[in-house]
Amino acid sequence: MKKYILILSLMIPGILWSQGTLRIESGAQMVIGGSSQLNITGNFINDGQFDAGTGKVIFSGSNVLGYASFGGSNFTSFYDVEINKSLGSMARLSNNVGVSNELKMSTGNLDLFGSDLDLTGFITGESETSRIIGPTGGVVIKFTTLTSPSNENPGNIGLTITSTQDLGDTWIIRGHTPMNINGSMTINRYFEVIPNTNSGLDATVRFNYFDGELVVGTHLENDFAQWHGSGGSWTAHTATASNQAANWVEVENINDFQFITLDNAPSASLPIELLTFEARLNDQQQVELIWITENEINNDFFTVERSKDAQTFETVTIVDGAGNSNGTLNYFTLDRNPFTGTSYYRLKQTDFDGTNSYSDIKAVHIDTDSGFSVFPNPFYDDVTILGQFSGKETVEIELFNNLGQSLYSQKISEQNEFRQTIDGLSELSPGYYFLVAKSGNSMEQFKLVKAD
């Protein structure tokens, strides 16, 4: 028999407050009737079934950890969502969610935290102090149909398209991590546009951004170009119009779509070509920091930085650069005392004249509470999961691709601890994968990256 939690809406819409964690247990159902409002000051965990109706869920208040998570083990579809957190707090996804009508950003950020937001509706109120972020991954996904679009900004996600052509069914994906273009790290925003018709578009594209998505001292707004492409093939499109105060860059005569991002125009000098930067957990629960450069110019030193929240960073160590080099150089250092939980790492490169640039952010997870840890991430040929428990337990491990298809599953019965390696993964395509580990009432989901 199912268990039901019912919120009734009468003639006057009702308002329900929830303090602390609100959990819908497996087998239970929660229904928001009519246009009622559910105001949550803590976490929202959906392990059962949630029916949003035409109601509104508001995430408000402050949190000791600085964030309130919402999601749960099941995909959750909301109608209206408002992020209205107090200063210093944010909301954070714990699984993929959907918003079918309005996502209103009032106060505080929404961190995708590696999960995806399926936006059937639209976003309102985004600003420098209240916006969607995703330093460790996750994207906003908008599906729309574009028929000779004229200044259309689907879902109000920040990309405005004009074209005399019918693009047809179109996916627009917005991410919040930098792209690596020949060693230069772009701003912390990109779009991927996938239209049904993708040639001869002669489109005008306006790219919106926030100042908080730029790296001070690296990105020059008066020198921005739109970069279009993917992988190692990128083309810079000089701005035909821009507005630094309103934060947008527009280009014309775009005939096809791929990835789109912003960076300095090609004339801007690049002090180094950063080929790779990796952070991975070793058997001693230390984090190995590895990076490879090419063609260093006036490179003084590197600073390895670490953060608990991907916002405020501290120095782990400083490594001397090569100065000038035309060859490939390999660098390695260790963080012997990473944070419990998630540690975020980035690489800061400093030139002899004091200018600097940053790599993308890498995350390493050490979860002593749940007993699970996974390494390496990114991976190449294999992935290892470690667990430690107080008694004999059955552990279920399952690996999924980004379509939700199961690639590997295993049940393990061990005493106190286990170590399981999933090998033979070298043939997998580069991209995102998900590893789920369950034991008793404990479950952890890890987002993994398969490297080239």
Side-chain angles (χ1 to χ4, degrees), residues 218-230:
T218 297
H219 297 127
L220 308 174
E221 290 184 87
N222 61 355
D223 192 38
F224 268 160
Q226 282 189 20
W227 290 79
H228 293 225
S230 63

Side-chain angles (χ1 to χ4, degrees), residues 54 100 122 132 207 392 447-448:
T54 57
S100 62
F122 54 92
I132 298 172
F207 187 117
K392 189 172 184 180
K447 186 171 185 178
L448 307 177

Side-chain angles (χ1 to χ4, degrees), residues 145-149 161-170 193-198 201 203 257:
T145 300
L146 296 175
T147 304
S148 300
I161 300 173
T162 297
S163 175
T164 58
Q165 302 298 314
D166 293 342
L167 281 68
D169 291 345
T170 303
V193 184
I194 310 172
N196 187 54
T197 299
N198 197 20
L201 301 180
F257 285 118

Side-chain angles (χ1 to χ4, degrees), residues 17-36:
W17 286 80
S18 174
Q19 296 182 343
T21 295
L22 174 61
R23 180 189 295 270
I24 306 172
E25 296 183 351
S26 178
Q29 182 181 22
M30 184 174 191
V31 180
I32 297 183
S35 56
S36 295

Side-chain angles (χ1 to χ4, degrees), residues 45 69 125 197 369 407:
I45 302 174
S69 65
T197 299
D369 294 328
L407 305 178

Side-chain angles (χ1 to χ4, degrees), residues 180 182-185 271-280 288-296 299 302 304 319 322 325-333 347 349 359-360 362 380 451-452:
N180 188 333
N182 300 324
S184 176
M185 307 311 297
I272 66 167
E273 293 184 26
L274 183 64
L275 300 182
T276 63
F277 172 58
E278 301 174 22
R280 63 193 186 195
E288 299 177 348
L289 289 310
I290 303 165
W291 63 100
I292 302 173
T293 69
E294 199 168 61
N295 299 333
E296 297 186 17
N299 179 24
F302 297 96
V304 177
V319 178
S325 172
N326 292 322
T328 299
L329 297 178
N330 296 272
Y331 293 87
F332 174 86
T333 190
L347 190 66
Q349 182 274 330
S359 72
D360 55 345
K362 302 294 183 179
Y380 296 91
D452 291 324

Side-chain angles (χ1 to χ4, degrees), residues 104-117:
K104 182 178 181 180
M105 302 298 300
S106 294
T107 307
N109 292 337
L110 170 59
D111 186 353
L112 300 177
F113 200 62
S115 296
D116 297 338
L117 172 64

